[in-house]
């Protein structure tokens, strides 16, 4: 997008704001009372139900009013089942698969595509891929929102998979103090402290401290996490609110997996190691540090309009020395593997600014909603890799893995310096509206004009690109009655490409298109929320190499990529005074990529239930169960016929977790969690050709105190 286009869109937003604000201000003069509080669209938890989310639009709509599938994992669900990291949260989310390929690197997928859109408090964090290094702790989150499908209106570049919004805890004006200490299998120790109080009637602060140290079922693996969180909220005037949030999260991992276990022997038969088997050396480590600062100011213009400006500064650093094992072992001896040592350092920095106005206006006797704004994200990514190709310690021959104690030659990592130095900027201007045609029928529409610029190179490959894209959003909602509504929507998003066509020009971006129809219902006095959705998503313009292109100058053409469709059913909330539940079923069909189709489960079932025992005051039982059908990965194909010669298969499996909580008194409680009760042995993911096993049966006990 040219600077002229961006300026015009910005001017359009300002002009529209002035006109609508003027009209609303005139109406405001008729009000006898002054504005006392700024409008805040927050979460209202009823156990496992949340009514509102801000990840799909900025119109202040409830989940029922938004024509897309939205799931919210509430603080209550995270607390009940000790969902202490983002992996555990998304494992409980409908239609999401957690591709845990290593101990400290994870990919998330939805509807056949990688999730690359992540937000904190509604602010997008643009990135080229969906891998998350380390594990994001949830002790600082109030909830996690997941909008499935394309969401280009809010995030710009990305896949038609989902958007994950992590909502930070906010200060409370009533003093509250919470403390929790837990101990579990493999010397798993965790401490959480959470305190919030008002400074005076207009200012409040909150602080969270978390310390988590644990060994592991995996040989040699240990992790040490420390999280600091500070939040401030202040009402400067009757119409102005400012907030500030600071996050510092550090995770040090000793003997982490880089890569994982070989899944087949040289004769083609499947390996079957102990679940504890690791390929990590005793000297390897992977340390991740994240520092985040969020600032925002909200200014009420009238009692129905406000302006919000937000700024975020994010820094992530990785420092690691890693050990990878590759090759195919002999079935009889276990030999045939080779080690591979590397030093990997990474630093990325994001500066994000978002300014928007939102509110209501009257037209043709009906009240409508409008939101518009501009966004800019500046991103710097630098990393480097070092190897040992000189001393002989960088690529040692490996002993049989089953009896290996992790002792490997210590490399001198000074060779083959390579890396990346990339600078990117994403700019967008967006507008969205909800028009009420009647009391029962609403139409939503929006458009985002996005420009993505990148300069630099990654491991010798130029990443220069300059892409403009217009991203549309359309939707409609019809309220059948006060409890039941139907909806339909069409959304898009895009991914820039650096591949060139036959003429040497850059290919157009990959376009992700997502269509969805569904039914939403709020039942049982609005305590139970139900969604049934059918979706169809596809990629258009995926770079495919032209046959017979020169290896050092490969040219590409745009083709259709993955096409997926399926159904998702979700139920969450409070069924009666003693029973709360979160249930989902998803079915996914994928065409266009056999590899993705094979390792992605077609059917998933997830259930979390808690029951307060009426006969024993303070006692609650619960279960958390998730099941997926079989997956596979073709490892070796016949070069002539393309027939599968060696295939790794993961049979269908289910994981059952149980919990029990007893409230000792109004201030103290004890919680017991037992995970993988049936001791199921399973491979975490077939996203890569390697894999490792999930945790066997384990437990944790926590003592909780609140003021």
């Amino acid at each position: 997008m040219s600077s002229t286009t961006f300026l015009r869109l910005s001017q359009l937003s300002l002009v529209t704001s002035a006109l609508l604000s003027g009209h609303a201000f005139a109406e405001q003069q008729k009000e006898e009372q002054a504005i006392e509080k700024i409008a805040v669209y927050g979460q209202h938890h009823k156990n496992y139900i949340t009514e509102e989310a801000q990840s799909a639009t900025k119109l202040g709509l409830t989940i029922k009013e938004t024509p897309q599938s939205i799931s919210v994992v509430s603080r209550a669900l995270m607390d009940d089942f000790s969902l202490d990291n983002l992996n555990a949260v998304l494992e409980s989310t409908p239609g999401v698969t957690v591709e845990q390929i290593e101990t400290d690197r994870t990919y998330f997928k939805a509807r056949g595509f990688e999730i690359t859109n992540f937000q904190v408090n509604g602010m997008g964090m643009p990135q080229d891929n969906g891998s998350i290094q380390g594990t994001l702790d949830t002790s600082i989150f109030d909830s996690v929102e997941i909008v499935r499908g394309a969401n280009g209106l809010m995030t710009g570049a990305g896949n038609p998979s989902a958007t994950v919004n992590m909502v930070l805890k906010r200060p409370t004006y009533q003093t509250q103090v919470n403390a929790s200490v837990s101990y579990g299998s493999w010397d798993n120790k965790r401490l959480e402290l959470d305190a919030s109080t008002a400074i005076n009637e207009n200012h409040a602060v909150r602080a969270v401290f978390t310390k988590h140290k644990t060994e592991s079922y995996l040989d040699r693996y240990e992790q040490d996490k420390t999280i600091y969180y500070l939040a401030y909220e202040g009402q400067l005037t009757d119409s102005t609110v400012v907030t500030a949030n600071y996050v510092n999260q550090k995770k040090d991992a000793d003997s982490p997996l880089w890569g994982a276990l070989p899944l087949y022997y040289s004769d083609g038969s499947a390996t079957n190691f102990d679940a504890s088997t690791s390929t990590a050396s005793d000297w390897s480590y992977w340390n991740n540090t994240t520092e985040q600062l969020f600032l925002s100011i909200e200014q009420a213009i009238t009692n129905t309009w406000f302006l919000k400006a937000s700024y975020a500064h994010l820094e992530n650093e990785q420092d690691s020395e890693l050990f990878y094992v590759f090759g195919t072992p002999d079935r009889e001896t276990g030999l045939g593997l080779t080690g591979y040592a590397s030093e990997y350092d990474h630093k990325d920095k994001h500066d994000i600014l978002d300014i928007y106005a939102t509110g209501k206006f009257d037209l043709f006797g009906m009240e409508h909603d409008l939101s518009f704004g501009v966004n800019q994200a500046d991103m710097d990514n630098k990393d480097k890799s070092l190897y040992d190709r000189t001393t002989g310690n960088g690529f040692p021959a490996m002993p049989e893995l089953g009896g290996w104690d992790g002792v490997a030659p210590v490399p001198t990592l000074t060779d083959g310096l390579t890396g990346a130095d990339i600078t990117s900027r994403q700019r967008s201007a967006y507008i969205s509206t909800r028009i009420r045609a009647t009391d029962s029928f609403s139409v939503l529409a929006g458009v985002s004009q996005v420009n993505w610029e990148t300069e630099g190179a990654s491991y010798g490959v130029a990443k220069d690109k300059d892409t403009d894209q217009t991203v549309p959003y359309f939707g409609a909602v019809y309220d059948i009655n006060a409890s039941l509504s139907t909806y339909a929507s069409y959304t898009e998003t895009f991914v820039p490409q650096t591949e060139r066509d036959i003429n040497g020009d850059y290919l157009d971006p990959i376009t992700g298109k997502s269509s969805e129809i569904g039914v939403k219902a709020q039942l049982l006095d609005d305590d139970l929320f139900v969604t049934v959705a059918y979706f169809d998503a596809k990629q258009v313009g995926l770079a495919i190499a032209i046959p017979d292109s020169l290896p050092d100058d490969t040219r590409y053409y745009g083709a259709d990529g993955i096409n997926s469709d399926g159904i998702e059913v979700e139920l969450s909330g409070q069924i009666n005074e003693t029973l709360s539940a979160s249930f989902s079923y998803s079915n996914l069909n994928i065409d266009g990529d056999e590899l993705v189709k094979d390792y992605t489960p077609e059917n998933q079932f997830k259930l979390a239930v808690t029951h307060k025992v009426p006969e024993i005051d303070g006692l609650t039982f619960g279960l958390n169960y998730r099941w997926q059908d079989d997956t596979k990965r073709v490892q070796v194909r016949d070069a002539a016929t393309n027939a599968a010669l060696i295939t790794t298969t993961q049979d269908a499996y289910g994981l059952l977790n149980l919990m029990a909580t007893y409230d000792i008194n109004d201030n103290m409680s004890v919680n017991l969690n037992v995970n993988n009760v049936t001791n199921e042995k399973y491979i975490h993911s077939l996203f890569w050709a390697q894999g490792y096993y999930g945790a066997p049966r384990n437990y944790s006990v926590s003592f909780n105190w609140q003021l």
Side-chain angles (χ1 to χ4, degrees):
M1 178 177 60
S2 67
S3 58
T4 302
T5 303
F6 189 81
L7 179 61
R8 287 174 178 171
L9 283 165
S10 303
Q11 292 172 335
L12 173 63
S13 297
L14 293 173
V15 171
T16 309
S17 175
L19 290 174
L20 290 172
S21 298
H23 169 75
F25 183 77
E27 292 296 317
Q28 182 191 24
Q29 303 307 305
K30 301 176 183 178
E31 301 290 335
E32 295 182 357
Q33 296 180 345
I35 300 171
E36 296 182 354
K37 289 286 184 180
I38 192 168
V40 176
Y41 301 104
Q43 281 69 39
H44 306 284
H45 297 304
K46 299 175 181 176
N47 288 316
Y48 294 166
I49 186 173
T50 299
E51 297 174 356
E52 297 178 354
Q54 287 291 294
S55 305
T57 69
K58 291 180 176 176
L59 295 171
L61 306 181
T62 67
I63 294 176
K64 185 170 174 284
E65 293 171 327
T66 305
Q68 280 186 265
S69 296
I70 302 176
S71 300
V72 180
V73 178
S74 68
R75 185 72 253 171
L77 186 61
M78 288 186 269
D79 289 340
D80 283 344
F81 294 100
S82 296
L83 307 182
D84 295 331
N85 58 70
L86 187 63
N87 290 11
V89 166
L90 293 182
E91 283 174 341
S92 303
T93 301
V96 174
T97 56
V98 177
E99 304 291 351
Q100 195 163 331
I101 55 176
E102 300 161 329
T103 51
D104 290 75
R105 178 163 48 178
T106 307
Y107 291 82
F108 307 107
K109 300 195 68 177
R111 298 184 175 181
F113 305 93
E114 282 184 36
I115 299 175
T116 58
N117 294 325
F118 295 91
Q119 301 176 352
V120 175
N121 280 358
M123 287 200 69
M125 299 180 290
Q127 58 188 69
D128 286 337
N129 63 70
S131 67
I132 298 294
Q133 280 73 47
T135 51
L136 298 178
D137 199 276
T138 59
S139 60
I140 62 176
F141 299 152
D142 184 63
S143 62
V144 178
E145 305 171 355
I146 302 94
V147 180
R148 291 185 294 282
N151 194 18
L153 191 63
M154 293 288 290
T155 57
N159 292 323
S161 51
T163 298
V164 178
N165 182 30
M166 295 157 277
V167 181
L168 296 171
K169 290 179 175 178
R170 298 180 62 174
T172 59
Y173 284 85
Q174 289 186 336
T175 299
Q176 63 176 35
V177 180
N178 295 277
S180 174
V181 60
S182 65
Y183 183 82
S185 301
W186 310 299
D187 200 25
N188 188 345
K189 296 170 288 188
R190 184 177 175 92
L191 169 68
E192 291 185 30
L193 302 174
D194 183 352
S196 185
T197 189
I199 302 173
N200 55 41
E201 62 179 7
N202 293 322
H203 302 272
V205 293
R206 187 167 190 167
V208 177
F209 171 76
T210 303
K211 185 68 173 178
H212 189 182
K213 294 186 68 174
T214 182
E215 296 178 9
S216 172
Y217 69 97
L218 291 171
D219 295 337
R220 301 174 294 283
Y221 181 56
E222 299 179 11
Q223 56 178 306
D224 184 353
K225 290 197 298 184
T226 306
I227 298 96
Y228 298 94
Y229 173 64
L230 299 173
Y232 161 78
E233 180 178 297
Q235 186 167 336
L236 301 185
T237 70
D238 288 344
S239 61
T240 308
V241 171
V242 296
T243 62
N245 307 84
Y246 173 76
V247 179
N248 187 303
Q249 178 170 264
K250 183 176 182 180
K251 179 185 178 185
D252 293 342
D254 292 333
S255 296
L257 285 175
W258 186 40
L261 302 171
L263 298 177
Y264 62 95
Y265 290 110
S266 54
D267 66 357
S269 59
T271 57
N272 187 23
F273 298 101
D274 290 340
S276 61
T277 306
S278 170
T279 58
S281 68
D282 57 359
W283 48 258
S284 61
Y285 67 91
W286 195 341
N287 298 337
N288 288 270
T289 301
T290 298
E291 197 167 17
Q292 303 174 331
L293 175 66
F294 302 92
L295 303 173
S296 73
I297 181 167
E298 298 184 23
Q299 175 63 52
I301 303 170
T302 72
N303 57 350
T304 60
W305 274 88
F306 74 84
L307 179 70
K308 182 173 183 179
S310 301
Y311 168 76
H313 177 78
L314 320 172
E315 290 192 14
N316 302 292
E317 290 191 41
Q318 296 179 51
D319 172 29
S320 65
E321 291 187 1
L322 303 169
F323 192 74
Y324 179 75
V325 173
F326 66 94
T328 306
D330 179 81
R331 183 176 181 84
E332 299 300 324
T333 65
L335 303 179
L337 298 173
T338 302
Y340 168 26
S342 176
E343 176 182 342
Y344 178 74
D345 298 317
H346 172 86
K347 183 175 182 177
D348 67 71
K349 182 175 68 174
H350 290 60
D351 286 287
I352 306 167
L353 177 65
D354 185 79
I355 303 173
Y356 74 95
T358 188
K360 300 180 182 297
F361 65 97
D362 293 329
L363 188 66
F364 302 125
M366 302 291 289
E367 187 176 66
H368 315 282
D369 303 275
L370 180 68
S371 175
F372 49 90
V374 292
N375 178 285
Q376 179 168 300
D378 292 305
M379 299 150 278
D380 293 313
N381 292 273
K382 295 181 180 179
D383 58 47
K384 68 175 184 179
S385 296
L386 290 167
Y387 311 94
D388 180 356
R389 299 191 177 102
T390 305
T391 69
N393 292 342
F395 297 87
M398 293 294 296
E400 191 272 322
L401 280 179
W404 186 45
D405 60 1
V407 175
V410 179
T412 303
L413 299 168
T414 58
D415 298 332
L417 176 62
T418 60
D421 188 350
I422 299 174
T423 300
S424 299
R425 169 173 286 182
Q426 178 180 277
R427 294 178 294 177
S428 66
Y430 54 86
I431 184 168
S432 61
T433 186
R434 177 177 67 165
I435 302 297
R436 291 184 178 274
T438 68
D439 289 335
S440 302
F441 182 65
S442 299
V443 176
L444 285 86
V447 64
S448 178
Q449 179 68 30
V450 185
N451 171 255
W452 183 289
E453 297 177 356
T454 297
E455 294 181 351
S458 176
Y459 294 87
V461 178
K463 293 294 184 179
D464 296 345
K465 54 192 171 188
D466 188 342
T467 301
D468 291 284
Q469 193 78 0
T470 301
V471 180
Y473 180 102
F474 302 103
V477 178
Y478 178 69
D479 296 325
I480 298 173
N481 53 43
S483 301
L484 183 66
S485 66
T486 62
Y487 70 90
S489 64
Y490 172 82
T491 60
E492 288 186 5
T493 187
F494 75 101
V495 177
Q497 300 188 98
T498 57
E499 292 82 1
R500 296 179 181 269
D501 64 18
I502 192 66
N503 298 315
D505 299 323
Y506 285 115
L507 289 179
D508 290 335
I510 303 170
T511 301
K513 302 180 178 182
S514 180
S515 303
E516 184 175 326
I517 59 173
V519 177
K520 296 184 180 183
Q522 282 188 270
L523 309 173
L524 305 180
D525 294 326
D526 292 342
D527 284 343
L528 186 68
F529 199 91
V530 180
T531 302
V532 180
Y534 169 80
F535 64 87
D536 186 287
K538 62 181 178 180
Q539 285 178 327
V540 178
L542 180 68
I544 302 295
I546 297 174
D548 302 324
S549 288
L550 296 176
D552 59 348
D553 188 22
T554 305
R555 298 303 172 95
Y556 298 82
Y557 67 95
D560 288 348
I562 294 173
N563 187 12
S564 68
D565 67 280
I567 60 171
E568 294 168 343
V569 179
E570 182 180 11
L571 175 154
S572 61
Q574 185 173 331
I575 297 175
N576 55 40
E577 292 183 356
T578 64
L579 189 66
S580 295
S582 174
F583 159 84
S584 70
Y585 167 75
S586 60
N587 171 267
L588 175 65
N589 302 298
I590 295 175
D591 292 316
D593 193 318
E594 287 300 315
L595 177 61
V596 175
K597 180 181 178 68
D598 285 347
Y599 71 68
T600 304
E602 184 177 344
N603 296 285
Q604 294 184 82
F605 170 86
K606 301 179 181 182
L607 173 67
V609 177
T610 58
H611 174 62
K612 295 180 180 180
V613 180
E615 295 80 11
I616 304 177
D617 187 37
L619 181 62
T620 301
F621 288 109
L623 68 85
N624 188 350
Y625 180 76
R626 59 185 176 90
W627 175 92
Q628 67 176 51
D629 60 9
D630 59 288
T631 58
K632 64 181 180 180
R633 184 185 182 96
V634 177
Q635 302 278 15
V636 179
R637 291 185 180 273
D638 185 277
T641 65
N642 203 40
L645 299 179
I646 299 176
T647 301
T648 299
T649 300
Q650 169 61 63
D651 294 334
Y653 65 91
L655 298 177
L656 175 64
N657 304 329
L658 299 177
M659 63 80 69
T661 296
Y662 179 67
D663 297 327
I664 300 171
N665 54 41
D666 290 341
N667 303 105
M668 297 183 63
S669 65
V670 60
N671 190 73
L672 171 66
N673 291 92
V674 182
N675 301 319
N676 195 2
V677 173
T678 60
N679 209 30
E680 185 78 26
K681 186 177 182 181
Y682 63 99
I683 300 172
H684 264 301
S685 172
L686 295 178
F687 185 78
W688 281 1
Q690 298 176 327
Y692 74 106
Y693 300 103
R697 183 186 302 115
N698 61 92
Y699 76 94
S700 67
V701 178
S702 64
F703 294 90
N704 313 292
W705 175 82
Q706 65 179 8
L707 178 65

